[in-house]
Each structure stands twice: as C-alpha cells, then as structure tokens.
Amino acid sequence: MAKLINGSEIAKKIRGELAEKVKKEKLSPNFAVVLCGDNEASKVYVRIKSKACEEVGIEFQEYHLKEETTQEELFKLIDKLNEDETIDGILIQAPLPKHLNYREAADRIDPEKDVDGFNSYNVGRLTIGDPTFIPCTPYGIMKMLEECKIDLIGKKAVIVGRSNIVGKPMAQCLINASATVTICHSKTKDLKKELKDADIVIAAVGVEALVKADMLKEGAIVIDVGMNRNKEGKLCGDVDFTEAEKVASYITPVPGGVGPMTVAMLMNNVIKAHCNKISK
C-alpha cells in the first residue's frame, strides 16, 4: 500500500515558514491578482489565494475587470501594475474570456513581478537552468518530492500532459534535477508501455481515472495533478486512486495533494519577488 503524500500538510508547513519569515524580517510583500469576467471557478481560486495571503502576511489586491474588457484595457492595467513600485507580484487568473490572449498578457508582465512563472523570459531561464520564478504547480510537486526525500537523479519520470502550465515546465524541473524525462500526450501510441517503465508518474491531463493500476510499475511514485468531477459530482484526479495506491510506493490524493502546494509556492514566489526588490 502506497504512502500518502499529504499536500495539505506540507503546504501548511510551508505557509507557516513563510509567515514566520515575513514577521521576523518585517517584510511587506504586495500581490496583485487580475480577474477578468465572472467565471465562478476563477472567483473561488482568487478567494483561496486571498486567504493564503492573509495567513502568510502578504497584502492582497484584486482587480476585477468586466467580461467585455479589451486586450488593450488589460494591457493598460498590467502596465500600471508594472510601474507601481509597491506591487511585488502580478498574476492574471486563468482562464481569460475567449476574446483575450493569455500568452500576450503573461508576456506583458514585468518578468521580475511574474510570480506565476509564465512570462516567456522566465520560461527561457527555467529551460537553461538559471534562477527564475518556477510555475507554481511544478514547483509544488518538486517540493513534495523533496519533502519525501525522493532522489530524482537517474530516475525515469513520465509526465502525462504537455501543457505550458504543468507538463512542459514540470519536464524542465525534472531534467534540471537530473531525472530522465518522457512526456506523453494524446498522440502517444502506447501510454501503458511508457508508464510501465516509469519510476515517477505525473498525470496532468484532466481526464478522470485515465491512469490505471495495471499501467504502473510496482513501487512507482504517482503524482496526480488532475482535478475532475465524477458522476457523483465528487472531486477526483487523473489516476484511479483506489487501485493505484495498491501498486505505488507514494501517491497524492485529490483533493488535498498538489492543489494546496500550488498556492503555497505562489506565496513563496511573491515573497521571493519582494525580497529581490528590496535587495537591489
């Protein structure tokens, strides 16, 4: 039976350490979130971020734009936040309304305030292994593996999903840690064959129970990034958890696994941005 990687507990520990740092060093980090439109899930995620900021000691500012906001209006707000010296970190809550271009908006953010790590400049720095803001979900996963004292050197890691948010930066983080990495996606010919060889499996595609127990190698470490709802309306991941935990050595639950870590590492990035600014 697999050991459960309790992301909620690890994230709580990290938030506590960050709160202590803010208090001890008398820091005053300031974080701005831009929300466009009335997507209910996005509103929930913004509230979660706000609550985490309050816990850690980060000043939180929300800018809520209308659904019909133009790209130019969004750029104008980003430019204003870039120029505001009191703002340390900027995040654009995804998804944006369909008529807006998220990639262009992310690239408009000052790289030094890009606490989500999605600006092309920071993506490039991650690729060549330079210090940068790491996207928060991959960063959180790396912290979970570190907490479990898992040695990544030479391990075969298979990532299911090639998104710019998780799959690609996750691969780069693992490569930088000297793991051997394979990315699988919808065009992969034999997913089971790829997964059977994996020491570490990271599932991030948003397909309920895609990864079955018979696809896994005995003792594999299984990280489930998926966030889906089953027929009963309950949250579930991309991994068939009940069966997979009988095969894996470590496994993350959904909910309570990767999600809380993503928010904790966002808080970490905001404080890092603040410290970078005041050290200049």
Side-chain angles (χ1 to χ4, degrees):
M1 189 69 71
K3 290 183 180 179
L4 196 69
I5 305 178
N6 191 325
S8 295
E9 285 300 315
I10 300 171
K12 183 179 179 181
K13 174 186 171 185
I14 292 170
R15 292 195 309 272
E17 292 169 349
L18 293 172
E20 181 63 27
K21 178 180 175 71
V22 169
K23 184 177 179 181
K24 185 177 180 180
E25 299 180 19
K26 297 180 179 178
L27 303 176
S28 53
N30 196 342
F31 177 43
V33 171
V34 178
L35 173 65
C36 290
D38 295 305
N39 182 292
E40 290 304 319
S42 291
K43 290 180 181 178
V44 170
Y45 291 136
V46 169
R47 285 198 295 271
I48 290 171
K49 293 177 175 73
S50 175
K51 184 178 179 181
C53 284
E54 183 179 358
E55 180 182 348
V56 172
I58 297 171
E59 185 174 342
F60 179 86
Q61 298 186 34
E62 179 183 340
Y63 295 83
H64 193 169
L65 302 177
K66 295 179 180 179
E67 182 82 19
E68 59 270 22
T69 295
T70 66
Q71 193 79 26
E72 291 71 26
E73 289 170 333
L74 177 57
F75 283 173
K76 186 175 180 180
L77 174 58
I78 294 170
D79 291 345
K80 177 184 175 183
L81 297 174
N82 282 338
E83 292 165 9
D84 187 339
E85 293 183 0
T86 68
I87 300 293
D88 299 301
I90 303 168
L91 180 145
I92 301 166
Q93 183 63 51
L96 289 175
K98 291 182 179 180
H99 66 280
L100 297 176
N101 187 309
Y102 180 84
R103 168 47 50 202
E104 290 182 3
D107 281 345
R108 193 84 173 194
I109 296 173
D110 181 341
E112 294 184 357
K113 297 186 178 187
D114 172 39
V115 291
D116 237 358
F118 294 145
N119 181 287
S120 295
Y121 176 83
N122 287 326
V123 172
R125 288 183 66 86
L126 178 63
T127 301
I128 61 175
D130 280 356
T132 189
F133 291 110
I134 302 172
C136 301
T137 297
Y139 196 8
I141 292 169
M142 294 300 288
K143 283 292 182 182
M144 293 171 94
L145 296 172
E146 179 184 314
E147 184 75 15
C148 295
K149 296 180 170 57
I150 293 166
D151 182 10
L152 297 174
I153 297 174
K155 293 288 194 305
K156 178 168 183 180
V158 174
I159 301 165
V160 187
R162 55 179 168 180
S163 73
N164 292 330
I165 296 173
V166 180
K168 291 175 184 176
M170 187 75 249
Q172 199 58 61
C173 287
L174 290 165
I175 289 169
N176 292 348
S178 297
T180 300
V181 181
T182 298
I183 296 182
C184 295
H185 43 76
S186 60
K187 306 301 180 185
T188 298
K189 292 182 178 179
D190 193 339
L191 179 60
K192 182 175 180 179
K193 180 175 180 291
E194 299 292 344
L195 293 178
K196 268 292 187 183
D197 290 334
D199 302 305
I200 302 167
V201 172
I202 299 173
V205 287
V207 177
E208 179 188 345
L210 173 69
V211 177
K212 310 293 186 184
D214 65 358
M215 296 177 168
L216 301 171
K217 180 168 78 172
E218 189 74 34
I221 298 158
V222 180
I223 307 294
D224 193 348
V225 187
M227 189 66 75
N228 315 298
R229 290 199 180 272
N230 61 20
K231 293 178 181 178
E232 290 75 40
K234 292 183 179 180
L235 285 173
C236 60
D238 291 350
V239 176
D240 183 355
F241 180 87
T242 304
E243 295 302 316
E245 71 171 336
K246 299 174 185 176
V247 179
S249 59
Y250 289 89
I251 193 167
T252 61
V254 176
V258 174
M261 292 299 297
T262 298
V263 178
M265 301 326 295
L266 174 62
M267 300 298 102
N268 180 85
N269 281 353
V270 173
I271 292 170
K272 176 182 176 180
H274 178 68
C275 290
N276 287 346
K277 180 184 74 177
I278 63 178
S279 68
K280 287 184 176 180

